[in-house]
Amino acid sequence: MKILIIGGNRFTGLQLAWNLSGNGHEVFVFNRGNHKRTLPENVTKICGDRNDPAKLKMALSLAEYDVVIDMCAYTIDDLKALLGALPASLPHFVFCSSLAVYDFQQGTYRKNGKGNAQQAYGYNKLLCERYLQDKLNSSLSIVRPTYVYGPNDPSGRITQIFERISHAQSISIHPSLSKFNTQMIFIEDVGKAMLRISENPCPVSGQYDLAFPEPINFIELIKKASDFQKKKIKLNFTGKPSDFPFELNSDQLINANETWAKIGYQPEYDLTKGLERTYKWWKGNA
């Protein structure tokens, strides 16, 4: 298959490019080239800005694509130029959204983007989903990962925790982090899941929520992270929400079993295995 990735040069998109190329697909990546990452030699790299219609049309003219995957649209404005350049005959469009579209506290989709940056991010992703559902003629797959972590994560959320543990005897966190649970997913599981979604020759338009089934608590995460460093960390439950790289005001849990059954894959990395891989990478690059 000929597959174009919009993005594909930082984290999840980069992992997907490796997975697709490794499975024998002809892969093209289109991005501004701002991040120097190693792509497979057989991947065609196209440098350009997604808001430049001429560059997009050039990229889309290089092949008759079976799939276009958008990894880096965050607002409707990010999508307009791309949708204007897509051929009407495109069989399959994959959009990387986020589980942040859900307001877990209210048990529904977000109704606005008021609040912190995560809430605004989730609401804008939801607006993108609805825009694509309204405008696209091709089959549309919407992929919603939860917190993605692993080597080369540009957010640095997990490595911040390793860093704090290495330099301190105690960590201050907000009391809510002991009360609520969430889910995470390791980067390689996301790449393999999106590989299967992209390869489906007759995609069922719909949403694919991606999360490792087992809930986690951040107290457990800190303990596991400190175990790798053979340190005992005292937790002070007097911190502000901004003191920790994750913030929870309710449980953030989703049943992703339908996704895993639909694509015929089960995630391989539980929290211990995924954190260990991430820790070894961080230790080698710290």
Side-chain angles (χ1 to χ4, degrees):
M1 295 171 68
K2 292 181 172 62
I3 300 175
L4 173 65
I5 302 174
I6 309 298
N9 203 35
R10 287 198 79 189
F11 188 42
T12 310
L14 179 64
Q15 178 69 49
L16 179 57
W18 277 93
N19 285 115
L20 290 167
S21 174
N23 234 33
H25 299 292
E26 189 175 350
V27 180
F28 301 73
V29 297
F30 177 85
N31 56 60
R32 291 176 294 177
N34 290 346
H35 306 283
K36 301 303 178 185
R37 297 285 192 267
T38 302
L39 283 160
E41 290 185 0
N42 59 346
V43 168
T44 301
K45 307 168 191 67
I46 312 163
C47 189
D49 192 311
R50 65 175 301 143
N51 294 309
D52 183 337
K55 287 283 188 181
L56 275 173
K57 286 181 180 177
M58 180 274 292
L60 287 161
S61 70
L62 293 179
E64 189 172 333
Y65 297 108
D66 300 287
V67 189
V68 171
I69 305 171
D70 195 333
M71 299 299 302
C72 58
Y74 303 104
T75 68
I76 289 174
D77 285 342
D78 291 336
L79 290 168
K80 287 181 178 177
L82 177 58
L83 263 62
L86 285 178
S89 59
L90 177 71
H92 189 191
F93 189 94
V94 179
F95 175 61
C96 188
S97 185
S98 167
L99 282 180
V101 300
Y102 293 120
D103 183 336
F104 289 95
Q105 197 168 20
Q106 300 299 321
T108 185
Y109 289 111
R110 294 196 182 279
K111 293 183 170 59
N112 59 64
K114 296 176 183 177
N116 59 29
Q118 180 73 358
Q119 291 165 335
Y121 166 79
Y123 183 61
N124 280 319
K125 281 288 193 179
L126 181 62
L127 295 180
C128 287
E129 290 183 12
R130 291 173 175 169
Y131 182 78
L132 289 167
Q133 288 165 340
D134 181 57
K135 299 292 185 181
L136 271 181
N137 294 320
S138 56
S139 293
L140 170 64
S141 295
I142 295 170
V143 183
R144 295 172 177 158
T146 183
Y147 293 117
V148 183
Y149 71 104
N152 296 304
D153 178 3
S155 78
R157 289 178 293 210
I158 296 295
T159 53
Q160 281 182 49
I161 297 171
F162 290 141
E163 190 74 32
R164 290 187 191 185
I165 291 169
S166 71
H167 294 297
Q169 298 301 317
S170 65
I171 293 178
S172 294
I173 62 173
H174 192 267
S176 64
L177 291 178
S178 67
K179 299 176 183 177
F180 302 121
N181 297 319
T182 188
Q183 290 157 294
M184 302 178 74
I185 188 162
F186 190 67
I187 180 63
E188 289 186 17
D189 284 326
V190 178
K192 290 175 182 178
M194 292 193 70
L195 168 69
R196 284 159 175 76
I197 293 166
S198 304
E199 285 181 331
N200 190 343
C202 299
V204 178
S205 294
Q207 293 80 42
Y208 297 83
D209 294 340
L210 302 183
F212 190 82
E214 181 183 345
I216 67 159
N217 184 280
F218 283 116
I219 308 306
E220 175 195 4
L221 188 152
I222 293 169
K223 183 181 183 305
K224 287 180 183 293
S226 60
D227 286 346
F228 291 132
Q229 301 190 48
K230 296 180 172 56
K231 289 188 69 173
K232 289 187 177 180
I233 293 294
K234 180 182 177 182
L235 295 178
N236 298 319
F237 295 95
T238 56
K240 304 184 295 294
S242 58
D243 288 338
F244 196 72
F246 296 90
E247 183 178 342
L248 297 178
N249 54 18
S250 68
D251 284 332
Q252 295 185 4
L253 303 173
I254 200 79
N255 185 346
N257 290 337
E258 183 179 349
T259 290
W260 303 124
K262 190 186 295 185
I263 66 175
Y265 178 74
Q266 287 295 320
E268 299 172 0
Y269 286 84
D270 62 11
L271 182 63
T272 300
K273 187 177 177 183
L275 278 181
E276 184 177 16
R277 279 282 307 278
T278 309
Y279 174 71
K280 287 179 178 178
W281 170 81
W282 171 78
K283 192 69 176 172
N285 290 276

